[in-house]
Amino acid sequence: MMKSCVVGDVMKKQLIETFYPRHRQHANTVVVVPPKEFQFNEQTAVDNEFQTPLSMPTETIQQRAMAEYEALVTHLHQSGVTVIEFDYPLSSMPTPDAVFPNNWFNTLADGGLITFPMASHNRQAEVRVEALVEVLCQAGRAVSRVETFSQYIATQRYLESTGAMVMDHDLGLIYAALSQRCDEDVLKEYARHIGYEAVAFATCLPSGKSVYHTNVMMAMGEKFCLLCDEVIAEPMRSHVVQRIAKSKQVIPITIEQMNHFCGNVLPLTTATGETLIVLSQSAYQAFQPQQLSALQQYGTLLPIDVTTIEQIGGGSVRCMMAEIFLPSV
């Protein structure tokens, strides 16, 4: 199956020249991964303040997480979004965070697939390139090449894909909160590689730590941006807000709302060309009425209850979906 839809050397290890053609802001297809090994991840909890261990059996946790995952898949299907389920092969290394696939790969409109250096050892084990390429090909999406930034792991520098980077595809900008999971040099290298400009900034939570992933504090739509600007250090705070506001409505969220995953939102395009804004039930309930009204100007809201995954995994619905911009076969 792979031979019919993969062009060239799909396991190329070194980067090539800039090639990224611009594409639409919203994807109409996502990859999701069932949480069959889901549990509290001690390795990622070191810098992810959104994780909370729950006192219940692992079997119960996994049953609840699987029910939340299946609800997400069902609602996306019913709403007209193409969903590709990647039921990954198990290995000797458990991968409790595999339900968050957007952190280890990204796809490009010309058929490229890029993998990224993950900070945690058990998250590095999530990178199953050949299996993913086969699933994408079976779903009718062409992969012309696979490239990697994983060589930076050797120097303990990381860039966790669209967890660490929030992209404005219309303007060719990457917004990124610097952290252990977002190295500035690797970020700039990736931006150069795809022909985008990196807008990097420092953040500070009340604890004094950095925001672990940019996509918990910021969500980018075609015409709007959810942003917890109060965690951005000055003087970059004003610069970031003004930069975004030139082309989009900035909808501010508070730190408390960010903690309810109001920033972990993903706009998608349905089969009929409508915009769907996917968010968690906890985020929906944390938004103020005027914020919901502002969002509803730009698409239909689709709240999904993923409470177990949010509390234990420290990520929400946006983290559970990896956008697919690959061309059809």
Side-chain angles (χ1 to χ4, degrees):
M1 185 66 181
M2 290 177 63
K3 293 181 180 178
S4 65
C5 60
V6 180
V7 180
D9 180 8
V10 299
M11 293 307 295
K12 195 168 189 176
K13 296 184 184 296
Q14 298 301 318
L15 301 178
I16 61 173
E17 69 279 359
T18 297
F19 59 82
Y20 199 140
R22 299 285 169 82
H23 54 66
R24 61 194 179 277
Q25 181 67 32
H26 305 157
N28 60 16
T29 302
V30 295
V31 162
V32 296
V33 177
K36 55 190 180 183
E37 297 180 290
F38 184 74
Q39 58 183 300
F40 187 81
N41 190 343
E42 298 284 354
Q43 293 184 22
T44 57
V46 173
D47 65 341
N48 182 348
E49 295 189 4
F50 294 78
Q51 289 180 239
T52 304
L54 298 181
S55 299
M56 64 177 66
T58 298
E59 182 180 355
T60 301
I61 290 172
Q62 291 177 350
Q63 288 174 347
R64 292 187 179 186
M66 188 63 73
E68 294 171 0
Y69 163 84
E70 291 172 349
L72 173 68
V73 172
T74 298
H75 282 85
L76 290 173
H77 275 306
Q78 292 176 345
S79 299
V81 175
T82 300
V83 180
I84 301 172
E85 294 192 70
F86 178 37
D87 192 0
Y88 65 95
L90 295 176
S91 66
S92 58
M93 171 68 74
T95 53
D97 283 339
V99 71
F100 304 133
N102 78 304
N103 298 148
W104 70 264
F105 75 93
N106 192 18
T107 60
L108 310 176
D110 70 339
L113 186 150
I114 296 182
T115 68
F116 291 86
M118 307 283 283
S120 301
H121 186 56
N122 60 15
R123 295 220 64 188
Q124 293 167 12
E126 295 174 27
V127 183
R128 300 171 169 95
V129 177
E130 291 183 350
L132 175 62
V133 169
E134 183 173 4
V135 168
L136 290 169
C137 289
Q138 290 172 349
R141 293 305 182 111
V143 178
S144 61
R145 64 184 160 275
V146 174
E147 298 182 313
T148 183
F149 277 69
S150 63
Q151 65 272 19
Y152 287 104
I153 293 175
T155 56
Q156 298 183 354
R157 289 182 290 170
Y158 311 107
L159 183 66
E160 296 193 340
S161 191
T162 53
M165 300 180 289
V166 171
M167 301 187 190
D168 183 339
H169 295 298
D170 291 334
L171 297 181
L173 299 173
I174 300 174
Y175 292 94
L178 300 177
S179 69
Q180 178 189 354
R181 308 192 195 192
C182 183
D183 179 87
E184 187 167 13
D185 290 337
V186 184
L187 167 68
K188 290 180 178 179
E189 175 63 26
Y190 177 71
R192 284 193 296 270
H193 182 60
I194 65 172
Y196 277 34
E197 176 188 349
V199 181
F201 49 86
T203 59
C204 186
L205 296 170
S207 65
K209 291 185 178 181
S210 300
V211 174
Y212 85 102
H213 271 165
T214 314
N215 74 359
V216 296
M217 58 164 288
M218 176 187 293
M220 189 71 66
E222 183 178 351
K223 297 180 180 180
F224 74 91
C225 177
L226 290 164
L227 178 65
C228 183
D229 62 295
E230 60 185 290
V231 301
I232 303 177
E234 290 288 12
M236 282 301 294
R237 180 187 302 175
S238 299
H239 173 75
V240 170
V241 173
Q242 292 171 9
R243 191 88 185 255
I244 297 170
K246 288 181 179 179
S247 60
K248 304 180 192 297
Q249 179 184 359
V250 177
I251 304 174
I253 61 174
T254 65
I255 292 178
E256 182 179 1
Q257 288 178 316
M258 180 186 69
N259 290 337
H260 286 88
F261 296 98
C262 289
N264 203 240
V265 170
L266 184 64
L268 297 169
T269 300
T270 69
T272 57
E274 299 176 352
T275 299
L276 188 71
I277 301 176
V278 189
L279 68 165
S280 72
Q281 186 65 36
S282 60
Y284 181 82
Q285 293 173 344
F287 277 119
Q288 295 296 318
Q290 64 270 25
Q291 293 170 312
L292 291 175
S293 295
L295 278 177
Q296 288 169 334
Q297 296 179 71
Y298 303 112
T300 300
L301 305 186
L302 182 65
I304 309 291
D305 186 356
V306 292
T307 304
T308 306
I309 292 173
E310 286 179 329
Q311 291 179 338
I312 296 176
S316 189
V317 292
R318 193 278 169 265
C319 300
M320 296 171 67
M321 297 178 287
E323 299 150 289
I324 302 301
F325 294 106
L326 299 167
S328 298
V329 175

